[in-house]
Amino acid sequence: MPPKTKAEKSAEPELPARRRCATSEVHERLLRTVPGYIEARSAIEDRTLRMLSFGRAALRTGCTSIPVVVHVVHRTAAQNVSDAQVQSQIDVLNADFRAKNTDKSTVPGAYQPLIADARVTFKLATTDPDGNPTNGITRTSTTVSSFNTDLDDVKHASTGGADAWPADAYLNLWVCPAIHSPTQTGILGYAQFPGGPADTDGVVVVHHGFGTTGTAAAPFDLGRTATHEVGHWLDLRHIWGDDGTGCAGSDLVADTPNQGGPNFGTPTFPTISCSNGPNGDLFVNYMDYVDDMAMVMFTHGQVDRMQAALDGPRSTIGTSGPCDVKPIKEFAKDNPKDFVKEPIKEFVKDLPKDPIKDRIKDNPKEFVKENPKDFVKERPKDFIKDPIKDRVKDRIDDLVKDLASDVFPGIDPVKLAGLEPVVTNPLDPVVLPQVVNPVAPDLQPQVPTATPFVLGSQAAGQAGAAPGAQAAPAATDPLVVVLQQLGEVLAGYSSASRTGALDQASASRIQALSGIYSQLVALLSP
């Protein structure tokens, strides 16, 4: 950054030597001037007290992510803080409210157990109130050199500031040249407690106490002014209770020790007040007035109070989700060495160089040369000769009977036709009952016994029907023709059986043909 000109230096307000916050003054003004604010604050405190007294768990689980809009109001180019300076402030808020700030190690051992994660995160808004994309930063040039807390003029475009975005959806954070009140100058920032007017709801910070880069200046260059003020925005009081230097005030938090007024600079441990020894004041707390480097923690009681605000008056803002979800980019960056690269090497290394050659090289002897002996030479006896008996005798009968049972459930079609043969041995004579044609007389086909199997009208034509005459539909049914011919074949086998001229092959055929005949009988029976 180029050095400032003499004019720019004279335009810059003097950096205060110690922290000043105007939140309490603004709160008192709202109590006096805004109708309904007293009632709103009373209801909020009653609800928070009930929640903390009964130990009710926070409604929001995980972490709450709050969208932030930063309104940069500037009179000089230097005050128009960069995007990088804005982001540095967001980074500080995320570290402090998640207790991930590395300087929390400076907390005295006696107070280490009190360090708590507020489970709140912040991100610059990506969508404006009209639904348009945004980077979460607005910039307004002004002629105002110092803004008045009593007027909240930085929060209105009409008075040289910038209008707030809807307070129920965004945390409004104004950055401005300087802040003063009717009673003090050199104020670093201020906030509005929950329950106040929506158009002034948010946090205000001077540019040289904002973020960690650019115009941020020591001892307020670590972004802790915004941490302190956002604590107020989430309903935290000053740790000493805002009663001056007395010991009667309270911050309404049980685990913060009573404290006689604010601490400044960088105190040493222990700092005793209000008979709070041996450990003394919790000056390392974000809600004290110490320098940025000295304030490093929230307590569990303060976190409970902030969560009560998020469940109550701030319930419309932010979204809740799991804490510490690893971004996809980090997952992809960390894992490839183990997950993608190395296993592939091992997998390729174990595979054969030429799988096809290896498969052909190893297997032919066993697969081509040796197996044919067993497959062709040794199996024919069992595979060709013997199974025919069983296959014809058992399986065809069963198949025919099963198919016929679908037509006549519970009735054996072979018995129905009176054709069930009695076979004790395939070589013994088979005694078959006399075959009676089951087809009704009016449906008997008038065909010679020697007529070969034909279909449809061909059967009628070959049966001697008059040319041009229309055959009866049943007489031309091919199943009737087949049944007639099959009956004659079975009758022939029956005659051969009675004379003892039936050989083994014919006996097997009888079993199959009897089943087929029975199936045809079942299909043609009314």
Side-chain angles (χ1 to χ4, degrees), residues 18 32 52 121 136 154 167 173 203 281 305 314 324 335 355 388 395 409 422 450 459 471 484:
R18 61 183 191 173
R32 294 192 313 269
L52 300 181
T121 62
V154 73
L173 201 166
V203 168
D281 298 350
R305 189 170 174 85
R314 301 290 187 201
D324 299 320
N335 289 338
I388 288 180
R395 297 187 61 188
V422 179
Q484 176 70 26

Side-chain angles (χ1 to χ4, degrees), residues 26-45:
V26 171
H27 173 57
E28 291 171 4
R29 170 174 60 81
L30 295 177
L31 289 171
R32 294 192 313 269
T33 63
V34 176
Y37 182 69
I38 293 176
E39 292 78 10
R41 287 300 306 162
S42 177
I44 290 169
E45 289 301 339

